[in-house]
Amino acid sequence: MWFIDLITGNGIAHSVLLLAFVIALGIFLGKIKIGGISLGATFILFVGIVCGHFGLTMDHTLINFMRDFGLILFVYAIGMQVGPGFFESFKKGGLTLNLIATGIVFLGAIIALIIHFITDIPTPTMVGIMSGAVTNTPGLGAAQQAFKDMTGDVDNTMAMGYAVAYPLGVIGIILSMIVVKVIFKVNFSKENNDIENAGEDDNKNAVSQSVVIENPAVFCKTILDMVKMLPNTMFRISRYWDMEKNEISLATPDTILKNGDRIFIVANPADIEKVTAFFGKSVNIEQNNWVTANTKFINRRIVVTKPEHNGKRLGSLHLRRLYGCNITRVSRAGVDLVADPDLVLQLGDRVNVVGTETAIDGVEKVLGNSMKRLEQPNLISIFIGIALGVIFGSIPVVIPGVPQPFKLGLAGGPLLIAILIAKFGYRWKLVTYTTQSANMMIKEIGISIFLACVGINAGNGFVDTILNGGFSWIGYGFIITFLPLLIMGIIARKFCKVNYFTLTGVIAGSYTDPPALAYANSLTSKDAPAVGYATVYPLTMFFRVLLAELMVLIF
């Protein structure tokens, strides 16, 4: 019967049907929460294993291609997502958080190697257990690719180790947060207050302040004079309130400052106190009053959608001179940046403009502000990046003492190139902007195909492996999950004095685990966990992929 042949056959139609079934059922089951925790897309792996166990397989060449292509799509989308903030994540307090997260990553690898040498579990299997324990699928893919490049074959025990260690890995991450809380007797109210006092919940690179002019040194001086007197300080004066005339006007370089008048300043968080003290003192004026007190001016955010402005410096557009308006800040990927003339614009940036309605309409025509343009996918940049990533990942690098040349592979190569293109692509006139939903779609399709293929491949022999000693892998995985988090969590709290809520985000980010982040977010109304997660996620993801490959190649 044709239907039976379709299900049990080995052709293209059978393969597509099997993949669709495994992915759909896996996503459906992954939404089920047990104790408030769900496994998400990872359940696709378990459905694939079950199908593989009962003999539902795919053509060997086809399943290898689909697995690798899904992996490439997944890691490339991740690179495009984290690329814009990858290098910025090392600034200020981010350096400390990244050092903590890196310590967690390397401690996990060291513990995995110790267990490997003590128990004689093969390195590929141990790398799979480690990848599951730290809930990092790209690391599993990178290790599998490295093993295949080195031996020409696939070791299915990697996927088996990943599958058995993953569930307890998620639980272990959350448990470590609870244990750190108990050890240090964390008071949630105090931690929330500390965030408010220290400004740790401000993840923006630009803040605003209303200031009354009281410093005699600035009386009767122009704003341009003040900019020269404050070198290496990032600030902009957006609006000027003449108290004698009760008029609000746009601040220009030639605006003369007078005693008792008010100014509206936008600056970097590190500079705002210094700038405020220089001009006078802060005054409580609602930001809306700077607009509504004088209906002549309005405030609007305009999106950069014209490709010709991608990579141009903001100052080169001469918007203030041409239209008589002020650019106060630029929002990129949810982060507000001070509108410095040297700031390089990228497609999708949201530019905050203050001026008359006529002036803002002029700026809108220059920058585009057409959301329809942003919805069009920039496939050229994506496939150029994938091609460069595959080439770069295939370059052999000889490392002394390593039997095989090291390659970044189909995981590391596209990931690294995606990060670089997302950050610097404008220099080569590449439009790298992708809507969040489009990037999410690419990432989810990639990981779904990858997990389905890995699970189907690993299904044959999975039960026998677990019954013949595989249960111990669960315990080893829990050790790899829990011990590094406990050690670095204690160091972070005791010596680095990291806020607990920020630390929970770092813990979740160091294991790139969304369910753990969801738990951390449920503990507080502040965004400190999300900030910690986002700060360490890019570097952590890179090291997870790199270490998994190196462990296979070296050991």
Side-chain angles (χ1 to χ4, degrees), residues 399-514:
I399 301 177
V402 179
Q404 292 287 331
F406 170 73
K407 296 179 183 179
L408 286 174
L410 295 180
L415 176 65
L416 183 58
I417 293 297
I419 290 173
L420 295 176
I421 284 181
K423 178 64 179 176
F424 304 109
Y426 65 86
R427 296 184 179 180
W428 296 280
K429 306 302 180 184
L430 287 175
V431 177
T432 59
Y433 177 83
T434 304
T435 62
Q436 185 176 0
S437 58
N439 194 73
M440 179 71 73
M441 177 67 76
I442 295 173
K443 185 169 66 173
E444 291 302 312
I445 288 176
I447 189 61
S448 297
I449 293 174
F450 172 77
L451 288 173
C453 293
V454 168
I456 292 168
N457 248 347
N460 185 23
F462 180 81
V463 174
D464 292 338
T465 302
I466 298 301
L467 294 177
N468 295 317
F471 276 115
S472 61
W473 298 356
I474 299 175
Y476 299 146
F478 182 77
I479 294 173
I480 296 170
T481 300
F482 186 74
L483 206 54
L485 293 178
L486 182 62
I487 294 172
M488 294 307 298
I490 291 174
I491 292 174
R493 283 292 291 179
K494 188 172 182 63
F495 300 104
C496 301
K497 309 300 181 184
V498 177
N499 179 273
Y500 175 75
F501 296 127
T502 301
L503 179 59
T504 59
V506 171
I507 287 174
S510 66
Y511 280 29
T512 62
D513 189 70

Side-chain angles (χ1 to χ4, degrees), residues 75 78-79 82-83 86-87 89-90 98 101-102 105-106 130 136 138-140 142-143 392-393 406-409 411-420 509-512 535-550:
V75 298
I78 286 177
V82 305
F86 184 79
F87 298 98
S89 66
F90 303 108
N98 272 290
T102 303
V105 174
F106 279 90
M130 181 185 75
N136 189 261
L140 171 66
F392 192 71
F406 170 73
K407 296 179 183 179
L408 286 174
L415 176 65
L416 183 58
I417 293 297
I419 290 173
L420 295 176
S510 66
Y511 280 29
T512 62
T535 300
V536 303
Y537 181 93
L539 187 66
T540 297
M541 181 63 76
F542 180 76
F543 275 130
R544 290 287 183 202
V545 171
L546 192 63
L547 275 178
E549 288 188 276
L550 286 175

Side-chain angles (χ1 to χ4, degrees), residues 119 128 137 165 172 176-177 202 210 285 308 312 314 327 339 355 374 451 500 516 529 550:
T119 62
T137 309
S176 70
M177 298 179 187
D202 186 1
S210 299
I285 300 176
E308 57 265 31
K312 279 189 177 180
L314 180 60
I327 310 298
L374 290 182
L451 288 173
Y500 175 75
L550 286 175

Side-chain angles (χ1 to χ4, degrees), residues 190-500:
K190 182 179 181 302
E191 297 298 313
N192 277 319
N193 290 334
D194 289 345
I195 289 176
E196 292 176 354
N197 295 333
E200 288 183 19
D201 62 335
D202 186 1
N203 68 325
K204 300 185 183 297
N205 288 342
V207 292
S208 57
Q209 180 66 62
S210 299
V211 176
V212 57
I213 299 173
E214 293 185 342
N215 181 7
V218 307
F219 296 167
C220 300
K221 300 284 179 61
T222 66
I223 290 178
L224 182 60
D225 294 332
M226 299 304 97
V227 172
K228 293 178 180 178
M229 293 177 66
L230 291 171
N232 303 319
T233 305
M234 293 286 291
F235 75 97
R236 286 289 173 272
I237 299 178
S238 168
R239 275 151 282 180
Y240 186 84
W241 195 334
D242 188 319
M243 300 305 295
E244 183 179 346
K245 299 179 181 179
N246 193 28
E247 288 183 357
I248 294 177
S249 61
L250 291 177
T252 69
D254 298 326
T255 297
I256 297 176
L257 305 173
K258 296 182 298 182
N259 181 25
D261 288 345
R262 272 65 166 166
I263 53 178
F264 187 76
I265 298 174
V266 179
N268 277 343
D271 297 326
I272 191 66
E273 289 187 12
K274 173 184 173 182
V275 174
T276 299
F278 178 79
F279 285 101
K281 67 180 181 182
S282 62
V283 60
N284 187 21
I285 300 176
E286 290 291 334
Q287 186 170 343
N288 289 338
N289 290 341
W290 285 102
V291 178
T292 58
N294 191 326
T295 57
K296 181 181 177 183
F297 300 108
I298 59 175
N299 184 29
R300 188 184 300 168
R301 288 207 167 187
I302 298 175
V303 185
V304 180
T305 60
K306 287 191 176 181
E308 57 265 31
H309 297 316
N310 191 51
K312 279 189 177 180
R313 297 188 182 279
L314 180 60
S316 69
L317 302 180
H318 305 294
L319 297 176
R320 174 184 284 178
R321 180 171 60 83
L322 294 174
Y323 298 100
C325 60
N326 270 349
I327 310 298
T328 59
R329 67 189 79 191
V330 176
S331 178
R332 179 177 300 158
V335 177
D336 280 350
L337 309 173
V338 176
D340 185 78
D342 292 327
L343 178 68
V344 177
L345 293 174
Q346 294 186 22
L347 213 67
D349 284 350
R350 297 178 182 272
V351 179
N352 195 77
V353 186
V354 179
T356 63
E357 188 164 357
T358 302
I360 290 180
D361 288 342
V363 174
E364 189 174 49
K365 292 178 181 177
V366 172
L367 299 181
N369 203 34
S370 173
M371 296 306 295
K372 188 175 181 180
R373 288 185 180 181
L374 290 182
E375 292 172 358
Q376 298 175 356
N378 298 297
L379 294 179
I380 293 178
S381 298
I382 292 175
F383 282 101
I384 286 177
I386 288 175
L388 291 175
V390 171
I391 293 171
F392 192 71
S394 301
I395 298 174
V397 179
V398 178
I399 301 177
V402 179
Q404 292 287 331
F406 170 73
K407 296 179 183 179
L408 286 174
L410 295 180
L415 176 65
L416 183 58
I417 293 297
I419 290 173
L420 295 176
I421 284 181
K423 178 64 179 176
F424 304 109
Y426 65 86
R427 296 184 179 180
W428 296 280
K429 306 302 180 184
L430 287 175
V431 177
T432 59
Y433 177 83
T434 304
T435 62
Q436 185 176 0
S437 58
N439 194 73
M440 179 71 73
M441 177 67 76
I442 295 173
K443 185 169 66 173
E444 291 302 312
I445 288 176
I447 189 61
S448 297
I449 293 174
F450 172 77
L451 288 173
C453 293
V454 168
I456 292 168
N457 248 347
N460 185 23
F462 180 81
V463 174
D464 292 338
T465 302
I466 298 301
L467 294 177
N468 295 317
F471 276 115
S472 61
W473 298 356
I474 299 175
Y476 299 146
F478 182 77
I479 294 173
I480 296 170
T481 300
F482 186 74
L483 206 54
L485 293 178
L486 182 62
I487 294 172
M488 294 307 298
I490 291 174
I491 292 174
R493 283 292 291 179
K494 188 172 182 63
F495 300 104
C496 301
K497 309 300 181 184
V498 177
N499 179 273
Y500 175 75

